[in-house]
């Protein structure tokens, strides 16, 4: 009884293989838990993008924790705080505030430009770095020091496709359609600019919504100009039925889209009608990167599916935060933020360095075409 009382008074604990040691000493051996925020659409029609992003984020956190991260002499353990933003700006800002309130030290996300842009103000006011794959140029044009883009912007993606349509496909009759989201409209705008800059002309500009699946009216209207290329700014869930309806209406136009079209889902939904259509992704060829093939192997082994789209960039986002914290010797955003802004890091998807506004420098863009029921790379543009 006296021994139990003594242990209680000294606040001893059982630790390190059953040895008794003072609580203060045990606490010194405990890992410091650092919360890392994540947000993407985890429900709804874009959930396949979001789960891909979350899977890769979990992989990165598990890899870091397994290896052991030392920051300022203290062992750090990352803990994921995940939010479903439903690809909705209103829901996304609420998710952003919850992440801030949870005390996260960084946010990897969001996926959609329309969500990232309003959420970025919340993170900026809290001083929390946000690393996003959102491509709308406005994301990094707000003057926030906390915003970082992990891929190229719409000006690079849409610009590459616009130039390709005019210079390579020699298209004379071009139409642009977008879903009126920040992503869809933004990338369509950049496509139109690039077509014009390269001596081409967009004969018609139409729009729909990111919930639509019937494009018969729009396609019937544009059929009058006999388009050779139709650019669609939006997601695979709309691009696929559009491809099918093109065929049904007798239109021979090549459909073009950005990274949200470049998925296995587009091919699965469009079936044989996916063949011959083009997309561009903000990123290089993953398998061509030194660690790319190994990442793809490990991802498939763990999650029993292929990488969907930009999950590897989310993986890199976590690694960039860890590296910046290590260089700064601190997990506090105010202290590691300057290191993140000046970082040089060879990741799974790119050699990372950021411009003063947070844009990724030397961002590659990969153009692909659907052949033999798969996306086949045509060219990589930097």
């Amino acid at each position: 009884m006296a021994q139990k009382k003594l242990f209680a008074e000294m606040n001893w604990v059982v630790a390190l293989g059953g040895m008794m040691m003072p609580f203060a000493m045990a606490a010194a051996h405990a890992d410091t838990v650092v919360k890392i925020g994540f947000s993407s659409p985890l429900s709804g029609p874009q959930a396949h993008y979001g789960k891909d992003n979350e899977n890769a984020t979990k992989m990165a956190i598990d890899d870091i924790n397994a290896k052991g991260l030392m920051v300022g002499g203290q062992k750090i353990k990352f803990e994921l705080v995940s939010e479903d933003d439903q690809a909705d700006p209103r829901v996304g800002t609420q998710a952003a505030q919850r992440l801030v309130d949870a005390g996260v030290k960084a946010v990897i996300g969001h996926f959609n430009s329309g969500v990232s842009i309003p959420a970025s103000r919340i993170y900026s006011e809290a001083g929390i770095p946000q690393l996003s794959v959102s491509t709308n140029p406005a994301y990094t044009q707000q003057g926030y020091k906390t915003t970082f883009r992990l891929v190229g912007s719409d000006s690079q993606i849409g610009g590459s496709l616009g130039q390709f349509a005019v210079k390579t496909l020699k298209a004379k009759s071009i139409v642009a359609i977008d879903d009126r989201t920040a992503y869809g409209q933004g990338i369509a705008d950049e496509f139109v600019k690039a077509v014009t800059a390269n001596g081409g002309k967009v004969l018609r500009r139409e729009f729909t919504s990111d919930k639509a699946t019937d494009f018969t009216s729009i396609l019937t209207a544009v059929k009058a100009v006999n388009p050779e290329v139709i650019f669609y700014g939006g997601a695979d869930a709309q691009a696929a039925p559009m491809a099918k309806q093109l065929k049904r209406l007798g239109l021979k136009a090549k459909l073009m889209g950005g990274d949200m079209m470049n998925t296995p889902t587009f091919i699965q939904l469009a079936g044989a009608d996916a063949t011959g259509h083009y997309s561009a992704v903000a990123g290089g060829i993953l398998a061509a990167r030194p660690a790319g093939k190994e990442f793809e192997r490990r991802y498939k082994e763990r999650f029993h599916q292929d990488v969907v789209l930009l999950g590897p960039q989310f993986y890199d986002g976590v690694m960039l935060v860890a590296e910046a914290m290590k260089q700064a010797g601190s997990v506090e955003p105010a202290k590691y933020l300057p290191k993140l802004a000046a970082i040089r890091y060879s990741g799974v998807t790119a050699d990372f360095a950021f411009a003063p506004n947070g844009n990724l420098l030397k961002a590659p863009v990969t153009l692909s075409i659907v052949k033999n029921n798969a996306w086949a790379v045509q060219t990589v543009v930097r």
Side-chain angles (χ1 to χ4, degrees), residues 12 85 102 133 148 163 257-258 285 301 342 344 347 355 362 374-375 380:
W12 283 42
D85 61 34
V133 296
F148 297 88
Q163 181 177 344
I285 303 169
E301 183 179 85
R344 297 291 185 275
K362 298 182 180 179
W375 287 105
V380 177

Side-chain angles (χ1 to χ4, degrees), residues 169 227-231 246 252-256 275-278:
L169 298 183
E228 297 166 273
V229 166
I230 295 177
F231 179 86
L246 277 173
K252 296 181 179 180
K254 299 295 185 184
L255 187 63
M256 281 189 166
T275 300
H277 297 311
Y278 292 89

Side-chain angles (χ1 to χ4, degrees), residues 40-118:
S40 279
L42 299 175
S43 60
Q46 295 189 30
H48 57 301
Y49 299 119
K51 289 303 295 182
D52 179 50
N53 300 339
E54 187 181 48
N55 286 345
T57 304
K58 287 178 179 177
M59 252 181 81
I61 286 176
D62 289 348
D63 286 351
I64 287 168
N65 289 343
K67 186 176 181 180
L69 174 65
M70 298 296 293
V71 176
Q74 176 66 48
K75 190 176 180 183
I76 302 300
K77 180 181 180 181
F78 278 174
E79 179 182 284
L80 180 65
V81 182
S82 186
E83 288 284 347
D84 176 12
D85 61 34
Q86 301 175 32
D88 183 290
R90 181 184 61 82
V91 177
T93 52
Q94 293 170 352
Q97 190 59 57
R98 285 195 296 272
L99 289 175
V100 170
D101 293 344
V104 301
K105 300 300 185 182
V107 173
I108 317 300
H110 302 239
F111 176 71
N112 305 85
S113 295
V115 180
S116 278
I117 292 169

Side-chain angles (χ1 to χ4, degrees), residues 300-375:
K300 189 167 186 175
E301 183 179 85
R302 176 168 176 177
F303 301 109
H304 310 293
Q305 67 176 53
D306 291 326
V307 171
V308 174
L309 184 60
L310 297 176
Q313 279 81 359
F314 276 72
Y315 180 95
D316 276 340
V318 178
M319 293 298 177
L320 284 163
V321 168
E323 179 63 23
M325 287 178 173
K326 188 164 63 174
Q327 290 182 16
S330 174
V331 300
E332 294 305 319
K335 293 184 178 179
Y336 82 78
L337 184 56
K339 296 296 184 182
L340 182 59
I343 206 160
R344 297 291 185 275
Y345 179 79
S346 181
V348 168
T349 63
D351 292 322
F352 286 92
F354 297 105
N357 63 358
N359 275 340
L360 177 63
L361 295 173
K362 298 182 180 179
V365 174
T366 302
L367 275 69
S368 301
I369 186 173
V370 179
K371 287 183 179 179
N372 301 319
N373 207 38
W375 287 105

